[in-house]
mmCIF file of all heavy atoms in Angstrom:
data_model
loop_
_atom_site.group_PDB
_atom_site.id
_atom_site.type_symbol
_atom_site.label_atom_id
_atom_site.label_comp_id
_atom_site.label_asym_id
_atom_site.label_seq_id
_atom_site.Cartn_x
_atom_site.Cartn_y
_atom_site.Cartn_z
ATOM 1 N N PRO A 97 -10.465 2.109 -12.514
ATOM 2 C CA PRO A 97 -10.663 0.806 -13.151
ATOM 3 C C PRO A 97 -9.589 -0.223 -12.776
ATOM 4 O O PRO A 97 -9.895 -1.402 -12.573
ATOM 5 C CB PRO A 97 -10.626 1.135 -14.650
ATOM 6 C CG PRO A 97 -11.079 2.549 -14.734
ATOM 7 C CD PRO A 97 -10.490 3.204 -13.519
ATOM 8 N N THR A 98 -8.332 0.224 -12.672
ATOM 9 C CA THR A 98 -7.267 -0.703 -12.306
ATOM 10 C C THR A 98 -7.405 -1.127 -10.852
ATOM 11 O O THR A 98 -7.168 -2.297 -10.511
ATOM 12 C CB THR A 98 -5.891 -0.060 -12.550
ATOM 13 O OG1 THR A 98 -5.843 0.466 -13.869
ATOM 14 C CG2 THR A 98 -4.782 -1.088 -12.391
ATOM 15 N N TYR A 99 -7.793 -0.204 -10.007
ATOM 16 C CA TYR A 99 -8.091 -0.545 -8.603
ATOM 17 C C TYR A 99 -9.175 -1.610 -8.552
ATOM 18 O O TYR A 99 -9.096 -2.571 -7.789
ATOM 19 C CB TYR A 99 -8.520 0.718 -7.864
ATOM 20 C CG TYR A 99 -8.827 0.552 -6.388
ATOM 21 C CD1 TYR A 99 -7.820 0.621 -5.435
ATOM 22 C CD2 TYR A 99 -10.132 0.351 -5.948
ATOM 23 C CE1 TYR A 99 -8.097 0.495 -4.082
ATOM 24 C CE2 TYR A 99 -10.418 0.221 -4.600
ATOM 25 C CZ TYR A 99 -9.401 0.293 -3.672
ATOM 26 O OH TYR A 99 -9.686 0.159 -2.339
ATOM 27 N N GLY A 100 -10.198 -1.448 -9.398
ATOM 28 C CA GLY A 100 -11.273 -2.433 -9.454
ATOM 29 C C GLY A 100 -10.774 -3.798 -9.872
ATOM 30 O O GLY A 100 -11.252 -4.835 -9.361
ATOM 31 N N LYS A 101 -9.814 -3.841 -10.791
ATOM 32 C CA LYS A 101 -9.242 -5.121 -11.217
ATOM 33 C C LYS A 101 -8.528 -5.825 -10.060
ATOM 34 O O LYS A 101 -8.567 -7.049 -9.947
ATOM 35 C CB LYS A 101 -8.275 -4.902 -12.378
ATOM 36 C CG LYS A 101 -8.958 -4.510 -13.682
ATOM 37 C CD LYS A 101 -7.933 -4.280 -14.781
ATOM 38 C CE LYS A 101 -8.614 -3.852 -16.082
ATOM 39 N NZ LYS A 101 -7.625 -3.590 -17.162
ATOM 40 N N ALA A 102 -7.868 -5.027 -9.215
ATOM 41 C CA ALA A 102 -7.217 -5.616 -8.041
ATOM 42 C C ALA A 102 -8.258 -6.215 -7.100
ATOM 43 O O ALA A 102 -8.086 -7.337 -6.600
ATOM 44 C CB ALA A 102 -6.377 -4.565 -7.323
ATOM 45 N N LEU A 103 -9.335 -5.481 -6.869
ATOM 46 C CA LEU A 103 -10.398 -5.997 -6.000
ATOM 47 C C LEU A 103 -11.008 -7.287 -6.539
ATOM 48 O O LEU A 103 -11.339 -8.196 -5.774
ATOM 49 C CB LEU A 103 -11.503 -4.947 -5.835
ATOM 50 C CG LEU A 103 -11.349 -3.894 -4.750
ATOM 51 C CD1 LEU A 103 -12.537 -2.941 -4.773
ATOM 52 C CD2 LEU A 103 -11.206 -4.527 -3.374
ATOM 53 N N GLU A 104 -11.135 -7.380 -7.853
ATOM 54 C CA GLU A 104 -11.759 -8.548 -8.464
ATOM 55 C C GLU A 104 -10.952 -9.824 -8.268
ATOM 56 O O GLU A 104 -11.472 -10.927 -8.457
ATOM 57 C CB GLU A 104 -11.970 -8.295 -9.961
ATOM 58 C CG GLU A 104 -13.062 -7.268 -10.247
ATOM 59 C CD GLU A 104 -13.100 -6.863 -11.706
ATOM 60 O OE1 GLU A 104 -12.319 -7.448 -12.507
ATOM 61 O OE2 GLU A 104 -13.887 -5.967 -12.063
ATOM 62 N N LEU A 105 -9.701 -9.680 -7.865
ATOM 63 C CA LEU A 105 -8.868 -10.856 -7.623
ATOM 64 C C LEU A 105 -9.221 -11.552 -6.311
ATOM 65 O O LEU A 105 -8.755 -12.666 -6.061
ATOM 66 C CB LEU A 105 -7.394 -10.454 -7.589
ATOM 67 C CG LEU A 105 -6.825 -9.863 -8.880
ATOM 68 C CD1 LEU A 105 -5.402 -9.387 -8.649
ATOM 69 C CD2 LEU A 105 -6.880 -10.879 -10.008
ATOM 70 N N PHE A 106 -10.051 -10.917 -5.502
ATOM 71 C CA PHE A 106 -10.365 -11.438 -4.174
ATOM 72 C C PHE A 106 -11.807 -11.914 -4.117
ATOM 73 O O PHE A 106 -12.705 -11.310 -4.700
ATOM 74 C CB PHE A 106 -10.104 -10.375 -3.108
ATOM 75 C CG PHE A 106 -8.650 -9.995 -3.002
ATOM 76 C CD1 PHE A 106 -8.106 -9.024 -3.831
ATOM 77 C CD2 PHE A 106 -7.822 -10.648 -2.106
ATOM 78 C CE1 PHE A 106 -6.773 -8.686 -3.749
ATOM 79 C CE2 PHE A 106 -6.482 -10.319 -2.019
ATOM 80 C CZ PHE A 106 -5.951 -9.341 -2.845
ATOM 81 N N VAL A 107 -11.996 -12.996 -3.377
ATOM 82 C CA VAL A 107 -13.329 -13.579 -3.198
ATOM 83 C C VAL A 107 -13.676 -13.534 -1.719
ATOM 84 O O VAL A 107 -12.886 -13.997 -0.883
ATOM 85 C CB VAL A 107 -13.376 -15.029 -3.702
ATOM 86 C CG1 VAL A 107 -14.750 -15.633 -3.468
ATOM 87 C CG2 VAL A 107 -12.996 -15.087 -5.174
ATOM 88 N N PRO A 108 -14.821 -12.973 -1.364
ATOM 89 C CA PRO A 108 -15.228 -12.963 0.057
ATOM 90 C C PRO A 108 -15.326 -14.388 0.598
ATOM 91 O O PRO A 108 -15.680 -15.323 -0.125
ATOM 92 C CB PRO A 108 -16.596 -12.277 0.031
ATOM 93 C CG PRO A 108 -16.630 -11.522 -1.257
ATOM 94 C CD PRO A 108 -15.809 -12.312 -2.224
ATOM 95 N N GLU A 109 -14.999 -14.543 1.877
ATOM 96 C CA GLU A 109 -15.021 -15.877 2.485
ATOM 97 C C GLU A 109 -16.433 -16.447 2.556
ATOM 98 O O GLU A 109 -16.655 -17.623 2.281
ATOM 99 C CB GLU A 109 -14.399 -15.824 3.880
ATOM 100 C CG GLU A 109 -12.898 -15.541 3.866
ATOM 101 C CD GLU A 109 -12.294 -15.624 5.245
ATOM 102 O OE1 GLU A 109 -12.996 -16.034 6.183
ATOM 103 O OE2 GLU A 109 -11.106 -15.282 5.393
ATOM 104 N N ALA A 110 -17.401 -15.637 2.922
ATOM 105 C CA ALA A 110 -18.782 -16.114 3.047
ATOM 106 C C ALA A 110 -19.503 -15.940 1.706
ATOM 107 O O ALA A 110 -19.445 -14.867 1.103
ATOM 108 C CB ALA A 110 -19.519 -15.346 4.136
ATOM 109 N N PRO A 111 -20.184 -16.967 1.223
ATOM 110 C CA PRO A 111 -20.884 -16.870 -0.068
ATOM 111 C C PRO A 111 -21.909 -15.736 -0.116
ATOM 112 O O PRO A 111 -22.154 -15.178 -1.179
ATOM 113 C CB PRO A 111 -21.566 -18.234 -0.192
ATOM 114 C CG PRO A 111 -20.768 -19.141 0.684
ATOM 115 C CD PRO A 111 -20.285 -18.288 1.814
ATOM 116 N N SER A 112 -22.492 -15.410 1.027
ATOM 117 C CA SER A 112 -23.512 -14.360 1.064
ATOM 118 C C SER A 112 -22.915 -12.956 1.093
ATOM 119 O O SER A 112 -23.627 -11.965 1.006
ATOM 120 C CB SER A 112 -24.411 -14.547 2.289
ATOM 121 O OG SER A 112 -23.639 -14.477 3.481
ATOM 122 N N ASN A 113 -21.600 -12.868 1.213
ATOM 123 C CA ASN A 113 -20.925 -11.574 1.339
ATOM 124 C C ASN A 113 -20.401 -11.132 -0.029
ATOM 125 O O ASN A 113 -19.750 -11.903 -0.739
ATOM 126 C CB ASN A 113 -19.771 -11.688 2.336
ATOM 127 C CG ASN A 113 -19.131 -10.354 2.644
ATOM 128 O OD1 ASN A 113 -19.554 -9.320 2.135
ATOM 129 N ND2 ASN A 113 -18.109 -10.373 3.469
ATOM 130 N N THR A 114 -20.675 -9.909 -0.413
ATOM 131 C CA THR A 114 -20.197 -9.387 -1.699
ATOM 132 C C THR A 114 -19.046 -8.397 -1.534
ATOM 133 O O THR A 114 -18.558 -7.855 -2.519
ATOM 134 C CB THR A 114 -21.345 -8.689 -2.454
ATOM 135 O OG1 THR A 114 -21.838 -7.595 -1.662
ATOM 136 C CG2 THR A 114 -22.468 -9.658 -2.753
ATOM 137 N N ASP A 115 -18.614 -8.177 -0.296
ATOM 138 C CA ASP A 115 -17.571 -7.195 -0.023
ATOM 139 C C ASP A 115 -16.197 -7.841 -0.188
ATOM 140 O O ASP A 115 -15.810 -8.707 0.602
ATOM 141 C CB ASP A 115 -17.737 -6.633 1.391
ATOM 142 C CG ASP A 115 -16.785 -5.478 1.668
ATOM 143 O OD1 ASP A 115 -15.949 -5.162 0.800
ATOM 144 O OD2 ASP A 115 -16.876 -4.887 2.763
#
Side-chain angles (χ1 to χ4, degrees):
T98 309
Y99 182 86
K101 290 179 181 179
L103 274 179
E104 289 171 4
L105 298 174
F106 295 85
V107 178
E109 292 185 8
S112 60
N113 187 1
T114 60
D115 187 356

